[in-house]
């Protein structure tokens, strides 16, 4: 029988109603008591690492979770992390960079309704997560939600209330949990030594373009950033209103200051390609901007936090950014 560690961090799955709304207050031991059939799958232990709404999850929390896995790595066959849904995709992405080449499964899950309720998706999501964590082929960082097994770097919350809250963005789901067993669509192979990291650079910010955006915003947010990710329109580009190059000039100034700029897209699927239109082609070439292509926003942010905690050398950052990790970028 495999040994699995439950790491509880809070979220809706652990919430109870109060006069001011749902508040995480159910402990890890109580979660297991409310899902007794998990004991039939494996030998399970639990740690209450934190008990917070996932809106309050931060890079410090990501590091704390990764360190908990590291400290217990040799003593368990796998890990299940309960977490709120709102920032679950960010945490899964962050753990994909903080815990690399894990031959043991690190499984994240949560729910749209509390495990405290009778009518809830919590017990199924939790049970499915343990089924996957106990599977012989399971490895790496994944989200298990609504029966789907999603690579940690490709997940996104796409619905606020429905049980099928998460999708795998521009990458197939690894498989599903069906009738108590794992059915794989893709076979994953982990190569290399398992590596843990414990530093992130939080000076990574996103600026979403809106029509008529002020150039001053580029300067304002750029000053507070080592990395500025710009979510543009369509396949990507920087507008030039009535021949005014102020936006491009601000980016040029930021580049001179050593800022790393990444062009992205606000479109949910199929990624960016700045070379399609003139508004992107010339700017990318002239300013030598990075582009995240089909990476998710969540994985782009977390990858840059990880990279720039290691180095801020522009050439090395570019090299590391375009190196695929856990299927985060697909060429």
């Amino acid at each position: 029988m495999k040994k699995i560690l439950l790491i509880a961090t809070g979220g809706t799955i652990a919430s109870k109603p109060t006069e001011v709304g749902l508040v995480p207050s159910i402990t890890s031991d109580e979660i297991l008591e409310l899902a007794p059939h998990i004991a039939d799958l494996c030998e399970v232990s639990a740690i209450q690492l934190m008990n917070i709404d996932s809106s309050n999850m931060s890079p410090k929390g990501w590091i704390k979770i990764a360190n908990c896995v590291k400290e217990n790595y040799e003593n368990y066959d796998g890990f299940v992390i309960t977490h709120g849904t709102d920032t679950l995709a960010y945490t899964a992405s962050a753990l994909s960079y903080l815990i690399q080449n894990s031959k043991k499964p690190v499984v994240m899950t949560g729910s749209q309704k509390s495990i405290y309720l009778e009518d809830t998706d919590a017990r199924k999501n939790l049970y499915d997560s343990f089924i996957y964590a106990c599977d012989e082929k399971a490895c790496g960082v994944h989200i298990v939600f609504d029966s789907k097994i999603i690579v940690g770097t490709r997940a996104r919350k796409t619905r606020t209330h429905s049980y099928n809250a998460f999708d795998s963005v521009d990458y197939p789901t690894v498989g599903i949990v069906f009738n108590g067993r794992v059915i794989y669509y893709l076979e994953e192979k982990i190569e290399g030594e398992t590596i843990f990291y414990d530093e992130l650079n939080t000076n990574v910010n996103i600026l979403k373009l809106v029509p008529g955006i002020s150039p001053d915003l580029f300067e304002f947010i750029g000053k507070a950033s080592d990395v500025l990710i710009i979510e543009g329109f369509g396949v990507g580009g920087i507008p030039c209103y009535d021949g005014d190059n102020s936006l491009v000039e601000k980016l040029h100034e930021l580049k001179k200051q050593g800022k790393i700029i990444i062009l992205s897209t606000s479109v949910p699927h199929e990624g960016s390609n700045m070379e399609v239109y003139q508004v992107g082609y010339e700017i990318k070439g002239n300013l030598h901007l990075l582009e995240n292509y089909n990476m998710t926003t969540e994985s782009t942010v977390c990858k840059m936090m990880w990279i720039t905690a290691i180095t801020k050398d522009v050439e090395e950052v570019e090299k590391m950014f375009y190196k695929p990790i856990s299927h985060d970028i697909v060429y």
Side-chain angles (χ1 to χ4, degrees), residues 49-50 57-71 73 81 83 89-104 106 108 140-141 152-153 193-202 298-299 301-310 320 325-326 328:
L49 192 63
M50 58 190 88
M57 184 60 73
S58 68
K60 288 183 179 179
W62 301 338
I63 292 171
K64 191 173 182 180
I65 295 169
N67 284 342
C68 183
V69 173
K70 181 180 179 180
E71 291 164 5
Y73 197 76
I81 302 164
H83 192 287
Y90 275 102
T91 301
S93 289
L95 293 183
S96 299
Y97 302 114
L98 293 170
I99 307 170
Q100 296 187 28
N101 305 326
S102 177
K103 296 173 180 62
K104 298 180 180 182
V106 179
M108 303 202 66
V141 178
T153 61
E193 179 183 357
T194 302
I195 305 172
F196 289 88
Y197 295 87
D198 59 6
E199 290 187 34
L200 293 169
N201 172 24
T202 60
E298 294 87 348
S299 63
V301 168
C302 295
K303 190 171 191 177
M304 292 309 298
M305 286 185 176
W306 167 67
I307 291 172
T308 54
I310 297 171
M320 293 177 71
I325 295 176
S326 189
D328 60 359

Side-chain angles (χ1 to χ4, degrees), residues 73-132:
Y73 197 76
E74 298 304 322
N75 299 322
Y76 293 90
D77 300 304
F79 304 86
V80 173
I81 302 164
T82 52
H83 192 287
T85 59
D86 289 347
T87 59
L88 180 56
Y90 275 102
T91 301
S93 289
L95 293 183
S96 299
Y97 302 114
L98 293 170
I99 307 170
Q100 296 187 28
N101 305 326
S102 177
K103 296 173 180 62
K104 298 180 180 182
V106 179
V107 188
M108 303 202 66
T109 195
S111 63
Q112 295 286 66
K113 292 185 179 180
S114 171
I115 198 168
Y116 175 75
L117 302 172
E118 288 188 14
D119 180 20
T120 177
D121 57 332
R123 293 183 189 86
K124 183 179 187 304
N125 287 344
L126 191 63
Y127 192 71
D128 286 351
S129 296
F130 273 88
I131 288 173
Y132 176 65

Side-chain angles (χ1 to χ4, degrees), residues 18-313:
T18 72
E19 292 180 355
V20 293
L22 292 172
V23 175
S25 56
I26 300 172
T27 68
S28 57
D29 290 334
E30 289 172 326
I31 287 174
L32 291 177
E33 288 175 5
L34 291 165
H37 296 301
I38 288 172
D40 298 332
L41 297 174
C42 59
E43 181 181 335
V44 59
S45 302
I47 291 177
Q48 186 72 54
L49 192 63
M50 58 190 88
N51 212 352
I52 62 173
D53 188 297
S54 73
S55 293
N56 294 323
M57 184 60 73
S58 68
K60 288 183 179 179
W62 301 338
I63 292 171
K64 191 173 182 180
I65 295 169
N67 284 342
C68 183
V69 173
K70 181 180 179 180
E71 291 164 5
N72 292 280
Y73 197 76
E74 298 304 322
N75 299 322
Y76 293 90
D77 300 304
F79 304 86
V80 173
I81 302 164
T82 52
H83 192 287
T85 59
D86 289 347
T87 59
L88 180 56
Y90 275 102
T91 301
S93 289
L95 293 183
S96 299
Y97 302 114
L98 293 170
I99 307 170
Q100 296 187 28
N101 305 326
S102 177
K103 296 173 180 62
K104 298 180 180 182
V106 179
V107 188
M108 303 202 66
T109 195
S111 63
Q112 295 286 66
K113 292 185 179 180
S114 171
I115 198 168
Y116 175 75
L117 302 172
E118 288 188 14
D119 180 20
T120 177
D121 57 332
R123 293 183 189 86
K124 183 179 187 304
N125 287 344
L126 191 63
Y127 192 71
D128 286 351
S129 296
F130 273 88
I131 288 173
Y132 176 65
C134 291
D135 192 84
E136 292 297 331
K137 294 181 180 179
C139 59
V141 178
H142 294 81
I143 289 175
V144 173
F145 208 99
D146 191 40
S147 302
K148 294 181 287 189
I149 304 166
I150 303 173
V151 173
T153 61
R154 307 304 307 196
R156 175 171 292 160
K157 185 175 182 180
T158 55
R159 299 169 185 85
T160 56
H161 300 292
S162 302
Y163 285 173
N164 59 333
F166 285 86
D167 287 328
S168 182
V169 178
D170 296 337
Y171 192 82
T173 54
V174 171
I176 59 172
V177 181
F178 181 73
N179 283 344
R181 65 190 183 96
V182 179
I183 299 175
Y184 287 95
Y185 300 147
L186 299 175
E187 184 175 348
E188 294 189 297
K189 293 182 179 179
I190 300 293
E191 297 179 355
E193 179 183 357
T194 302
I195 305 172
F196 289 88
Y197 295 87
D198 59 6
E199 290 187 34
L200 293 169
N201 172 24
T202 60
N203 294 327
V204 176
N205 292 303
I206 297 175
L207 177 60
K208 186 182 182 74
L209 295 187
V210 297
I213 190 169
S214 170
D216 293 338
L217 281 174
F218 282 44
E219 182 177 2
F220 179 78
I221 296 178
K223 284 181 178 179
S225 309
D226 291 328
V227 179
L228 179 59
I229 301 165
I230 299 175
E231 283 196 350
F233 312 118
V235 292
I238 301 297
C240 180
Y241 298 112
D242 298 322
D244 184 355
N245 287 316
S246 297
L247 295 176
V248 177
E249 290 170 0
K250 291 294 184 184
L251 290 181
H252 189 65
E253 290 175 12
L254 292 175
K255 286 284 291 184
K256 284 183 176 180
Q257 297 168 20
K259 309 294 185 180
I260 298 165
I261 301 171
I262 301 174
L263 269 295
S264 179
T265 175
S266 57
V267 179
H269 290 280
E270 299 180 352
S272 65
N273 184 354
M274 291 189 65
E275 296 182 358
V276 173
Y277 296 102
Q278 182 267 336
V279 291
Y281 186 91
E282 292 183 354
I283 293 166
K284 180 181 178 181
N286 293 338
L287 296 183
H288 195 69
L289 304 179
L290 300 181
E291 185 176 359
N292 73 342
Y293 297 107
N294 59 12
M295 291 179 68
T296 66
T297 299
E298 294 87 348
S299 63
T300 303
V301 168
C302 295
K303 190 171 191 177
M304 292 309 298
M305 286 185 176
W306 167 67
I307 291 172
T308 54
I310 297 171
T311 180
K312 293 184 178 66
D313 178 80

